[in-house]
Amino acid sequence: MTTDLRILLDFDGDRRDIGDYERAGGYRQLTKALAGAPEDVIAAVDGSGIRGRGGAGFPTGRKASFLPKDRKPAYLCVNADESEPGTFKDREIMLRNPHALIEGVITMSFGIGATSAFIYIRGEYRAEFEVLMTALQQARERGFVGADVLGSGYDATVVLHRGAGAYICGEETALLSSLEGERGQPRSKPPFPAVAGLYAAPTLVNNVETLASVPYILEMGGAAYAEIGTERSKGTRVFSLSGNVKRPGNYELPLTATLRELIEGHGGGMPDGRTMKAIIPGGSSAPILMPDQIDTHIDFESIAAAGSMAGSGAIIVIDDRTCMVQLALRVSEFYKHESCGKCTPCREGTRWGVDIIRRIEMGEARQGELDLLLNVCDRILGNCLCPLGDAMAMPVASYVTHFRDEFQRHIDEGGCPFTEHSPISGLYHEPAAVS
Amino acid sequence: MEPSDAQTLAGARETRPTWPAPLPASDDTRPLYDRIQDVIALYPERKSAVVPALRLAQDEYGWLSEQAFDAVADATGFTPAFCKSVASFYDMFRLTPTGRYEICVCTNVSCALVGAAGTMRAFERELGIHPGETSEDGLFTLKTVECYGGCGWGPVVSVNERYHEPLPAEQVPELVARLRADAEPDA
Ligand SMILES: Cc1cc2nc3c(=O)[nH]c(=O)nc-3n(C[C@H](O)[C@H](O)[C@H](O)COP(=O)(O)O)c2cc1C
Ligand code: SF4
Ligand code: FES
């Protein structure tokens, strides 16, 4: 069965204790890598074809090769900010397999010649921060982290840095601003972090899942890893499944699986005999897919071809009770709240979007405001400094496109026809109106 | 909280992690200023220590008062205004006094789909306050927050930064009663 392969989380329970991790073969790839040349690490990662698991899906080996070899200092930054709504996989990796992340970080640092690594973990992840702190301490005691790792002459400094609550700090340049002690606002690219990143030094930013995969890639060999998946989407990915589904949770699947295998096979399908209304396939910034697209494959290209994006690997299932206007309101409120305010289309557009959608939901919108909403989305799309503006405009436009009648009914009937049944209702309407 | 229950059918590979016991609170009793110096030493540039320093100050003072900002500014060598401009960007920094228990209810999409509104309303009823408010006895502050990264185990709530997941509406009265009892052991 194609969906029966796990790499990163191929065990029950956890391997928080370094002994458990080492018994399972852990830290051997680091030991081997340190005995060879740094380029070998990057070559293996490049050969595996793995693409970043943070959202953008950029080939990891290629990104690493952009760093100039001779400029020091150079840094590796681990993106553990995980805040795209629907996404909770990095957290599970950190909780269950923290040493795979640490081994991946040190190995990759060695590969790019980084002088230190910074793990930027979202401030809310307190238990996960404590797990990493304990794991790092164990790794230090065993000589895998610190000065002169395993007598190789390579010094690996790792700093665990906690964020303080801001979604935008997951965007890589905002992460760097935040790590430097500023407000977490994105910077325009170029220059790319590979050239001028943290403290203006060459910097590689990678997601937790990407880096935790590195030891397994080295163990299997890049070519063997590249045999898993599709032509352009390699390996396995940990998918976060949530919303109206019987068995939500994280599921690691090879990139040949379909949404149906994930949602119905692993997730058990819809609870209480309900029917599906829509699927969000890549975190809340992804345009929705319709139930008849459930046989779409979950690799980057297939989801893009279906009209959405694989994004952070978060799949949210929406059932037939849900009011799409309320969903649009909740999603747009989020991006408005997280807009850093640096550029106009996002700062103004997210506000406008929320105001219009709120009027529609509350029955205060006039005829024509639906087109105004689409117009606002259109003016945001492609006009912002970072992708956050689009992250609101894309999904909202997709809800209107697929469920225009439902939006129109709110305007025509002067209110929300679904207050009684929609699970989101209680956030916007007095409890009396909610069943 | 608890590991996955019997809901996980045989053959399914949902593998909800077990959470470790919280680490004991730091026993470092040195002055805030000295602890901030340790943090500064971790980074190539001093400014990187501003956010961690603000966190230490918030833990010390309960919230980021003028006094707390002055302490951070002193210890890091930046101005209070700079420290404030940084702090105001981040949701976890408290710029007003907060109750002894800070209760944060995630109302983002995945949690909303599985009952976050009910959980939020249950807290409103039990505490007699709306999100953004603090109860008169100073015990509780209620907040709604954006995605906490526990979407598969929603509705997610945190109490003083410790996650409760899931926390359906029916369990809210019991939790609130327990917190009240913990706050007044003799009552
Ligand atoms: C608004 C926004 C939020 C993002 N949030 C995250 C995040 O929480 N975690 C993450 O790994 N990447 C996030 N990204 C993607 C990062 O910018 C970056 O592409 C990624 O960390 C690179 O690592 P990778 O190549 O291993 O995926 C976000 C991007 C944007 C535009
Ligand atoms: S798109 Fe939004 S979040 Fe991104 S830089 Fe512009 S204002 Fe900031
Ligand atoms: S939506 Fe509530 S934790 Fe993600």
Side-chain angles (χ1 to χ4, degrees), chain A residues 54-56 78-84 120 122 165-176 178 184 186 189 205-207 338 386-388, chain B residues 89-90:
Chain A
V78 185
N79 193 337
D81 194 54
E82 186 162 72
S83 357
E84 171 75 8
Y120 186 103
R122 66 176 295 183
Y167 163 73
I168 190 58
C169 293
E171 193 280 331
E172 57 182 10
T173 61
L175 184 149
L176 298 174
S178 178
K189 298 190 271 195
V205 183
N206 275 133
N207 170 258
E338 304 298 339
C386 92
L388 187 137
Chain B
F89 190 83
Y90 298 94

PDB file of all heavy atoms in Angstrom, chain A residues 54-56 78-84 120 122 165-176 178 184 186 189 205-207 338 386-388, chain B residues 89-90:
ATOM      1  N   GLY A  54       8.111  24.058   5.088  1.00  0.00           N
ATOM      2  CA  GLY A  54       7.544  25.195   5.816  1.00  0.00           C
ATOM      3  C   GLY A  54       6.367  25.837   5.111  1.00  0.00           C
ATOM      4  O   GLY A  54       5.541  26.492   5.727  1.00  0.00           O
ATOM      5  N   GLY A  55       6.303  25.683   3.791  1.00  0.00           N
ATOM      6  CA  GLY A  55       5.191  26.297   3.083  1.00  0.00           C
ATOM      7  C   GLY A  55       5.500  26.591   1.628  1.00  0.00           C
ATOM      8  O   GLY A  55       4.680  26.360   0.749  1.00  0.00           O
ATOM      9  N   ALA A  56       6.701  27.082   1.377  1.00  0.00           N
ATOM     10  CA  ALA A  56       7.008  27.513   0.018  1.00  0.00           C
ATOM     11  C   ALA A  56       7.471  26.353  -0.870  1.00  0.00           C
ATOM     12  O   ALA A  56       7.390  26.425  -2.092  1.00  0.00           O
ATOM     13  CB  ALA A  56       8.058  28.618   0.046  1.00  0.00           C
ATOM     14  N   VAL A  78      16.452  27.904  12.353  1.00  0.00           N
ATOM     15  CA  VAL A  78      15.417  26.883  12.285  1.00  0.00           C
ATOM     16  C   VAL A  78      14.071  27.560  12.506  1.00  0.00           C
ATOM     17  O   VAL A  78      13.865  28.225  13.516  1.00  0.00           O
ATOM     18  CB  VAL A  78      15.632  25.821  13.383  1.00  0.00           C
ATOM     19  CG1 VAL A  78      14.614  24.706  13.218  1.00  0.00           C
ATOM     20  CG2 VAL A  78      17.049  25.309  13.342  1.00  0.00           C
ATOM     21  N   ASN A  79      13.183  27.379  11.554  1.00  0.00           N
ATOM     22  CA  ASN A  79      11.872  27.998  11.659  1.00  0.00           C
ATOM     23  C   ASN A  79      10.923  27.055  12.396  1.00  0.00           C
ATOM     24  O   ASN A  79      10.390  26.110  11.839  1.00  0.00           O
ATOM     25  CB  ASN A  79      11.346  28.318  10.259  1.00  0.00           C
ATOM     26  CG  ASN A  79      10.140  29.227  10.287  1.00  0.00           C
ATOM     27  OD1 ASN A  79       9.438  29.293  11.285  1.00  0.00           O
ATOM     28  ND2 ASN A  79       9.899  29.919   9.189  1.00  0.00           N
ATOM     29  N   ALA A  80      10.782  27.314  13.694  1.00  0.00           N
ATOM     30  CA  ALA A  80       9.858  26.530  14.528  1.00  0.00           C
ATOM     31  C   ALA A  80       8.753  27.457  15.013  1.00  0.00           C
ATOM     32  O   ALA A  80       8.283  27.365  16.140  1.00  0.00           O
ATOM     33  CB  ALA A  80      10.605  25.893  15.700  1.00  0.00           C
ATOM     34  N   ASP A  81       8.343  28.366  14.139  1.00  0.00           N
ATOM     35  CA  ASP A  81       7.327  29.345  14.518  1.00  0.00           C
ATOM     36  C   ASP A  81       5.919  28.812  14.269  1.00  0.00           C
ATOM     37  O   ASP A  81       4.938  29.425  14.695  1.00  0.00           O
ATOM     38  CB  ASP A  81       7.528  30.649  13.747  1.00  0.00           C
ATOM     39  CG  ASP A  81       6.718  31.785  14.356  1.00  0.00           C
ATOM     40  OD1 ASP A  81       6.866  32.018  15.559  1.00  0.00           O
ATOM     41  OD2 ASP A  81       5.922  32.417  13.640  1.00  0.00           O
ATOM     42  N   GLU A  82       5.823  27.723  13.543  1.00  0.00           N
ATOM     43  CA  GLU A  82       4.554  27.065  13.216  1.00  0.00           C
ATOM     44  C   GLU A  82       3.291  27.808  13.667  1.00  0.00           C
ATOM     45  O   GLU A  82       2.794  27.597  14.769  1.00  0.00           O
ATOM     46  CB  GLU A  82       4.543  25.661  13.829  1.00  0.00           C
ATOM     47  CG  GLU A  82       3.326  24.854  13.408  1.00  0.00           C
ATOM     48  CD  GLU A  82       3.527  23.365  13.642  1.00  0.00           C
ATOM     49  OE1 GLU A  82       3.517  22.911  14.809  1.00  0.00           O
ATOM     50  OE2 GLU A  82       3.739  22.653  12.655  1.00  0.00           O
ATOM     51  N   SER A  83       2.751  28.645  12.817  1.00  0.00           N
ATOM     52  CA  SER A  83       1.502  29.321  13.197  1.00  0.00           C
ATOM     53  C   SER A  83       0.476  29.445  12.088  1.00  0.00           C
ATOM     54  O   SER A  83      -0.528  30.121  12.266  1.00  0.00           O
ATOM     55  CB  SER A  83       1.751  30.709  13.775  1.00  0.00           C
ATOM     56  OG  SER A  83       3.098  31.021  13.891  1.00  0.00           O
ATOM     57  N   GLU A  84       0.710  28.832  10.943  1.00  0.00           N
ATOM     58  CA  GLU A  84      -0.313  28.867   9.902  1.00  0.00           C
ATOM     59  C   GLU A  84      -1.513  28.062  10.406  1.00  0.00           C
ATOM     60  O   GLU A  84      -1.372  26.884  10.743  1.00  0.00           O
ATOM     61  CB  GLU A  84       0.240  28.250   8.609  1.00  0.00           C
ATOM     62  CG  GLU A  84      -0.785  28.019   7.512  1.00  0.00           C
ATOM     63  CD  GLU A  84      -1.233  29.288   6.777  1.00  0.00           C
ATOM     64  OE1 GLU A  84      -0.639  30.359   7.001  1.00  0.00           O
ATOM     65  OE2 GLU A  84      -2.192  29.195   5.992  1.00  0.00           O
ATOM     66  N   TYR A 120      14.265  29.246  16.254  1.00  0.00           N
ATOM     67  CA  TYR A 120      13.250  30.245  16.602  1.00  0.00           C
ATOM     68  C   TYR A 120      11.933  29.508  16.816  1.00  0.00           C
ATOM     69  O   TYR A 120      11.287  29.083  15.869  1.00  0.00           O
ATOM     70  CB  TYR A 120      13.117  31.268  15.473  1.00  0.00           C
ATOM     71  CG  TYR A 120      12.193  32.435  15.794  1.00  0.00           C
ATOM     72  CD1 TYR A 120      12.715  33.680  16.139  1.00  0.00           C
ATOM     73  CD2 TYR A 120      10.813  32.289  15.767  1.00  0.00           C
ATOM     74  CE1 TYR A 120      11.889  34.748  16.445  1.00  0.00           C
ATOM     75  CE2 TYR A 120       9.975  33.346  16.073  1.00  0.00           C
ATOM     76  CZ  TYR A 120      10.517  34.575  16.409  1.00  0.00           C
ATOM     77  OH  TYR A 120       9.692  35.633  16.711  1.00  0.00           O
ATOM     78  N   ARG A 122       8.035  29.342  18.386  1.00  0.00           N
ATOM     79  CA  ARG A 122       6.975  30.283  18.755  1.00  0.00           C
ATOM     80  C   ARG A 122       6.804  30.305  20.264  1.00  0.00           C
ATOM     81  O   ARG A 122       6.908  29.261  20.932  1.00  0.00           O
ATOM     82  CB  ARG A 122       5.665  29.969  18.027  1.00  0.00           C
ATOM     83  CG  ARG A 122       5.007  28.676  18.392  1.00  0.00           C
ATOM     84  CD  ARG A 122       3.664  28.497  17.683  1.00  0.00           C
ATOM     85  NE  ARG A 122       2.684  29.489  18.117  1.00  0.00           N
ATOM     86  CZ  ARG A 122       1.425  29.537  17.719  1.00  0.00           C
ATOM     87  NH1 ARG A 122       0.971  28.658  16.842  1.00  0.00           N
ATOM     88  NH2 ARG A 122       0.605  30.451  18.169  1.00  0.00           N
ATOM     89  N   GLY A 165       4.690  35.594  20.092  1.00  0.00           N
ATOM     90  CA  GLY A 165       3.324  35.677  19.610  1.00  0.00           C
ATOM     91  C   GLY A 165       3.154  36.639  18.457  1.00  0.00           C
ATOM     92  O   GLY A 165       2.774  37.789  18.656  1.00  0.00           O
ATOM     93  N   ALA A 166       3.471  36.194  17.249  1.00  0.00           N
ATOM     94  CA  ALA A 166       3.241  36.976  16.037  1.00  0.00           C
ATOM     95  C   ALA A 166       3.395  36.022  14.853  1.00  0.00           C
ATOM     96  O   ALA A 166       4.494  35.547  14.582  1.00  0.00           O
ATOM     97  CB  ALA A 166       4.230  38.130  15.915  1.00  0.00           C
ATOM     98  N   TYR A 167       2.277  35.762  14.186  1.00  0.00           N
ATOM     99  CA  TYR A 167       2.281  34.827  13.058  1.00  0.00           C
ATOM    100  C   TYR A 167       3.298  35.225  11.998  1.00  0.00           C
ATOM    101  O   TYR A 167       3.984  34.375  11.430  1.00  0.00           O
ATOM    102  CB  TYR A 167       0.877  34.786  12.447  1.00  0.00           C
ATOM    103  CG  TYR A 167       0.774  34.205  11.050  1.00  0.00           C
ATOM    104  CD1 TYR A 167       0.897  32.833  10.827  1.00  0.00           C
ATOM    105  CD2 TYR A 167       0.530  35.024   9.957  1.00  0.00           C
ATOM    106  CE1 TYR A 167       0.781  32.302   9.554  1.00  0.00           C
ATOM    107  CE2 TYR A 167       0.408  34.493   8.676  1.00  0.00           C
ATOM    108  CZ  TYR A 167       0.536  33.144   8.475  1.00  0.00           C
ATOM    109  OH  TYR A 167       0.419  32.629   7.215  1.00  0.00           O
ATOM    110  N   ILE A 168       3.410  36.511  11.729  1.00  0.00           N
ATOM    111  CA  ILE A 168       4.255  36.963  10.620  1.00  0.00           C
ATOM    112  C   ILE A 168       5.718  36.566  10.835  1.00  0.00           C
ATOM    113  O   ILE A 168       6.480  36.447   9.887  1.00  0.00           O
ATOM    114  CB  ILE A 168       4.109  38.497  10.409  1.00  0.00           C
ATOM    115  CG1 ILE A 168       4.786  38.956   9.111  1.00  0.00           C
ATOM    116  CG2 ILE A 168       4.618  39.292  11.588  1.00  0.00           C
ATOM    117  CD1 ILE A 168       4.268  38.280   7.854  1.00  0.00           C
ATOM    118  N   CYS A 169       6.117  36.325  12.078  1.00  0.00           N
ATOM    119  CA  CYS A 169       7.511  35.934  12.332  1.00  0.00           C
ATOM    120  C   CYS A 169       7.849  34.566  11.746  1.00  0.00           C
ATOM    121  O   CYS A 169       9.010  34.156  11.754  1.00  0.00           O
ATOM    122  CB  CYS A 169       7.822  35.973  13.820  1.00  0.00           C
ATOM    123  SG  CYS A 169       7.767  37.642  14.461  1.00  0.00           S
ATOM    124  N   GLY A 170       6.861  33.856  11.212  1.00  0.00           N
ATOM    125  CA  GLY A 170       7.156  32.621  10.489  1.00  0.00           C
ATOM    126  C   GLY A 170       7.681  32.896   9.095  1.00  0.00           C
ATOM    127  O   GLY A 170       8.344  32.047   8.491  1.00  0.00           O
ATOM    128  N   GLU A 171       7.394  34.080   8.569  1.00  0.00           N
ATOM    129  CA  GLU A 171       7.946  34.467   7.267  1.00  0.00           C
ATOM    130  C   GLU A 171       9.433  34.684   7.486  1.00  0.00           C
ATOM    131  O   GLU A 171       9.829  35.359   8.439  1.00  0.00           O
ATOM    132  CB  GLU A 171       7.249  35.739   6.764  1.00  0.00           C
ATOM    133  CG  GLU A 171       7.499  36.064   5.313  1.00  0.00           C
ATOM    134  CD  GLU A 171       8.849  36.732   5.064  1.00  0.00           C
ATOM    135  OE1 GLU A 171       9.364  37.429   5.964  1.00  0.00           O
ATOM    136  OE2 GLU A 171       9.403  36.547   3.976  1.00  0.00           O
ATOM    137  N   GLU A 172      10.261  34.142   6.597  1.00  0.00           N
ATOM    138  CA  GLU A 172      11.677  34.037   6.962  1.00  0.00           C
ATOM    139  C   GLU A 172      12.387  35.361   7.231  1.00  0.00           C
ATOM    140  O   GLU A 172      13.202  35.440   8.134  1.00  0.00           O
ATOM    141  CB  GLU A 172      12.448  33.199   5.946  1.00  0.00           C
ATOM    142  CG  GLU A 172      12.372  33.713   4.525  1.00  0.00           C
ATOM    143  CD  GLU A 172      13.126  32.809   3.552  1.00  0.00           C
ATOM    144  OE1 GLU A 172      13.541  31.716   3.949  1.00  0.00           O
ATOM    145  OE2 GLU A 172      13.300  33.230   2.403  1.00  0.00           O
ATOM    146  N   THR A 173      12.053  36.408   6.472  1.00  0.00           N
ATOM    147  CA  THR A 173      12.761  37.670   6.741  1.00  0.00           C
ATOM    148  C   THR A 173      12.221  38.346   7.998  1.00  0.00           C
ATOM    149  O   THR A 173      12.966  39.020   8.719  1.00  0.00           O
ATOM    150  CB  THR A 173      12.679  38.636   5.543  1.00  0.00           C
ATOM    151  OG1 THR A 173      11.312  38.955   5.272  1.00  0.00           O
ATOM    152  CG2 THR A 173      13.318  38.039   4.301  1.00  0.00           C
ATOM    153  N   ALA A 174      10.928  38.152   8.289  1.00  0.00           N
ATOM    154  CA  ALA A 174      10.362  38.676   9.535  1.00  0.00           C
ATOM    155  C   ALA A 174      10.986  37.937  10.718  1.00  0.00           C
ATOM    156  O   ALA A 174      11.275  38.531  11.761  1.00  0.00           O
ATOM    157  CB  ALA A 174       8.851  38.512   9.547  1.00  0.00           C
ATOM    158  N   LEU A 175      11.205  36.636  10.532  1.00  0.00           N
ATOM    159  CA  LEU A 175      11.856  35.841  11.572  1.00  0.00           C
ATOM    160  C   LEU A 175      13.231  36.428  11.899  1.00  0.00           C
ATOM    161  O   LEU A 175      13.612  36.566  13.062  1.00  0.00           O
ATOM    162  CB  LEU A 175      11.978  34.391  11.101  1.00  0.00           C
ATOM    163  CG  LEU A 175      12.555  33.351  12.069  1.00  0.00           C
ATOM    164  CD1 LEU A 175      11.938  31.992  11.802  1.00  0.00           C
ATOM    165  CD2 LEU A 175      14.064  33.252  11.958  1.00  0.00           C
ATOM    166  N   LEU A 176      13.940  36.827  10.848  1.00  0.00           N
ATOM    167  CA  LEU A 176      15.275  37.380  11.076  1.00  0.00           C
ATOM    168  C   LEU A 176      15.188  38.721  11.805  1.00  0.00           C
ATOM    169  O   LEU A 176      15.959  38.978  12.736  1.00  0.00           O
ATOM    170  CB  LEU A 176      16.017  37.534   9.744  1.00  0.00           C
ATOM    171  CG  LEU A 176      16.251  36.210   8.988  1.00  0.00           C
ATOM    172  CD1 LEU A 176      16.855  36.473   7.608  1.00  0.00           C
ATOM    173  CD2 LEU A 176      17.153  35.273   9.789  1.00  0.00           C
ATOM    174  N   SER A 178      12.868  39.644  13.807  1.00  0.00           N
ATOM    175  CA  SER A 178      12.473  39.355  15.177  1.00  0.00           C
ATOM    176  C   SER A 178      13.651  38.818  15.986  1.00  0.00           C
ATOM    177  O   SER A 178      13.879  39.219  17.126  1.00  0.00           O
ATOM    178  CB  SER A 178      11.327  38.348  15.163  1.00  0.00           C
ATOM    179  OG  SER A 178      10.950  38.010  16.464  1.00  0.00           O
ATOM    180  N   GLY A 184       8.786  42.230  14.369  1.00  0.00           N
ATOM    181  CA  GLY A 184       8.953  41.188  13.350  1.00  0.00           C
ATOM    182  C   GLY A 184       8.363  41.561  12.012  1.00  0.00           C
ATOM    183  O   GLY A 184       7.380  40.976  11.577  1.00  0.00           O
ATOM    184  N   PRO A 186       8.664  41.862   7.836  1.00  0.00           N
ATOM    185  CA  PRO A 186       9.417  41.301   6.706  1.00  0.00           C
ATOM    186  C   PRO A 186      10.306  42.358   6.041  1.00  0.00           C
ATOM    187  O   PRO A 186      10.078  43.555   6.189  1.00  0.00           O
ATOM    188  CB  PRO A 186       8.317  40.854   5.733  1.00  0.00           C
ATOM    189  CG  PRO A 186       7.102  40.689   6.570  1.00  0.00           C
ATOM    190  CD  PRO A 186       7.214  41.720   7.642  1.00  0.00           C
ATOM    191  N   LYS A 189      13.044  41.414  -0.548  1.00  0.00           N
ATOM    192  CA  LYS A 189      14.058  40.531  -1.129  1.00  0.00           C
ATOM    193  C   LYS A 189      14.151  40.877  -2.607  1.00  0.00           C
ATOM    194  O   LYS A 189      13.095  41.079  -3.210  1.00  0.00           O
ATOM    195  CB  LYS A 189      13.636  39.063  -0.976  1.00  0.00           C
ATOM    196  CG  LYS A 189      13.488  38.614   0.471  1.00  0.00           C
ATOM    197  CD  LYS A 189      13.299  37.110   0.579  1.00  0.00           C
ATOM    198  CE  LYS A 189      11.845  36.704   0.501  1.00  0.00           C
ATOM    199  NZ  LYS A 189      11.587  35.311   0.939  1.00  0.00           N
ATOM    200  N   VAL A 205      17.520  29.565   6.206  1.00  0.00           N
ATOM    201  CA  VAL A 205      16.351  29.369   7.066  1.00  0.00           C
ATOM    202  C   VAL A 205      15.622  28.121   6.590  1.00  0.00           C
ATOM    203  O   VAL A 205      15.293  28.003   5.409  1.00  0.00           O
ATOM    204  CB  VAL A 205      15.379  30.567   7.000  1.00  0.00           C
ATOM    205  CG1 VAL A 205      14.209  30.354   7.970  1.00  0.00           C
ATOM    206  CG2 VAL A 205      16.092  31.876   7.303  1.00  0.00           C
ATOM    207  N   ASN A 206      15.416  27.182   7.508  1.00  0.00           N
ATOM    208  CA  ASN A 206      14.681  25.967   7.161  1.00  0.00           C
ATOM    209  C   ASN A 206      13.673  25.607   8.233  1.00  0.00           C
ATOM    210  O   ASN A 206      13.870  25.884   9.417  1.00  0.00           O
ATOM    211  CB  ASN A 206      15.636  24.775   6.976  1.00  0.00           C
ATOM    212  CG  ASN A 206      16.225  24.695   5.581  1.00  0.00           C
ATOM    213  OD1 ASN A 206      17.425  24.518   5.401  1.00  0.00           O
ATOM    214  ND2 ASN A 206      15.380  24.826   4.573  1.00  0.00           N
ATOM    215  N   ASN A 207      12.640  24.960   7.785  1.00  0.00           N
ATOM    216  CA  ASN A 207      11.575  24.494   8.660  1.00  0.00           C
ATOM    217  C   ASN A 207      12.025  23.287   9.505  1.00  0.00           C
ATOM    218  O   ASN A 207      12.936  22.551   9.125  1.00  0.00           O
ATOM    219  CB  ASN A 207      10.390  24.113   7.749  1.00  0.00           C
ATOM    220  CG  ASN A 207       9.296  23.392   8.474  1.00  0.00           C
ATOM    221  OD1 ASN A 207       9.172  22.174   8.390  1.00  0.00           O
ATOM    222  ND2 ASN A 207       8.492  24.129   9.201  1.00  0.00           N
ATOM    223  N   GLU A 338      -2.803  39.775  11.980  1.00  0.00           N
ATOM    224  CA  GLU A 338      -1.377  39.467  11.866  1.00  0.00           C
ATOM    225  C   GLU A 338      -0.640  40.359  10.865  1.00  0.00           C
ATOM    226  O   GLU A 338       0.583  40.270  10.745  1.00  0.00           O
ATOM    227  CB  GLU A 338      -1.184  37.996  11.478  1.00  0.00           C
ATOM    228  CG  GLU A 338      -1.844  36.995  12.425  1.00  0.00           C
ATOM    229  CD  GLU A 338      -1.304  37.046  13.852  1.00  0.00           C
ATOM    230  OE1 GLU A 338      -0.176  37.555  14.044  1.00  0.00           O
ATOM    231  OE2 GLU A 338      -2.015  36.584  14.775  1.00  0.00           O
ATOM    232  N   CYS A 386       5.237  40.925   1.259  1.00  0.00           N
ATOM    233  CA  CYS A 386       5.407  39.512   1.606  1.00  0.00           C
ATOM    234  C   CYS A 386       4.102  38.799   1.298  1.00  0.00           C
ATOM    235  O   CYS A 386       3.102  39.442   1.000  1.00  0.00           O
ATOM    236  CB  CYS A 386       5.820  39.371   3.079  1.00  0.00           C
ATOM    237  SG  CYS A 386       4.438  39.175   4.219  1.00  0.00           S
ATOM    238  N   PRO A 387       4.075  37.473   1.364  1.00  0.00           N
ATOM    239  CA  PRO A 387       2.860  36.758   0.942  1.00  0.00           C
ATOM    240  C   PRO A 387       1.675  36.852   1.899  1.00  0.00           C
ATOM    241  O   PRO A 387       0.635  36.269   1.627  1.00  0.00           O
ATOM    242  CB  PRO A 387       3.341  35.303   0.836  1.00  0.00           C
ATOM    243  CG  PRO A 387       4.825  35.379   0.765  1.00  0.00           C
ATOM    244  CD  PRO A 387       5.209  36.570   1.568  1.00  0.00           C
ATOM    245  N   LEU A 388       1.776  37.591   3.006  1.00  0.00           N
ATOM    246  CA  LEU A 388       0.663  37.574   3.958  1.00  0.00           C
ATOM    247  C   LEU A 388      -0.621  38.174   3.385  1.00  0.00           C
ATOM    248  O   LEU A 388      -1.717  37.690   3.639  1.00  0.00           O
ATOM    249  CB  LEU A 388       1.030  38.270   5.272  1.00  0.00           C
ATOM    250  CG  LEU A 388      -0.049  38.109   6.348  1.00  0.00           C
ATOM    251  CD1 LEU A 388       0.549  37.797   7.706  1.00  0.00           C
ATOM    252  CD2 LEU A 388      -0.954  39.328   6.464  1.00  0.00           C
TER     253      LEU A 388
ATOM    254  N   PHE B  89       4.482  44.835  19.516  1.00  0.00           N
ATOM    255  CA  PHE B  89       4.292  44.067  18.277  1.00  0.00           C
ATOM    256  C   PHE B  89       3.818  42.649  18.565  1.00  0.00           C
ATOM    257  O   PHE B  89       3.204  42.012  17.716  1.00  0.00           O
ATOM    258  CB  PHE B  89       5.624  44.023  17.514  1.00  0.00           C
ATOM    259  CG  PHE B  89       5.506  43.472  16.114  1.00  0.00           C
ATOM    260  CD1 PHE B  89       5.099  44.283  15.068  1.00  0.00           C
ATOM    261  CD2 PHE B  89       5.799  42.138  15.853  1.00  0.00           C
ATOM    262  CE1 PHE B  89       4.984  43.781  13.779  1.00  0.00           C
ATOM    263  CE2 PHE B  89       5.695  41.632  14.563  1.00  0.00           C
ATOM    264  CZ  PHE B  89       5.282  42.459  13.525  1.00  0.00           C
ATOM    265  N   TYR B  90       4.113  42.164  19.754  1.00  0.00           N
ATOM    266  CA  TYR B  90       3.929  40.734  20.035  1.00  0.00           C
ATOM    267  C   TYR B  90       2.762  40.497  20.993  1.00  0.00           C
ATOM    268  O   TYR B  90       2.653  41.148  22.026  1.00  0.00           O
ATOM    269  CB  TYR B  90       5.219  40.159  20.630  1.00  0.00           C
ATOM    270  CG  TYR B  90       6.397  40.264  19.687  1.00  0.00           C
ATOM    271  CD1 TYR B  90       7.273  41.343  19.736  1.00  0.00           C
ATOM    272  CD2 TYR B  90       6.625  39.288  18.719  1.00  0.00           C
ATOM    273  CE1 TYR B  90       8.349  41.448  18.853  1.00  0.00           C
ATOM    274  CE2 TYR B  90       7.705  39.376  17.841  1.00  0.00           C
ATOM    275  CZ  TYR B  90       8.557  40.458  17.913  1.00  0.00           C
ATOM    276  OH  TYR B  90       9.619  40.555  17.045  1.00  0.00           O
TER     277      TYR B  90
END
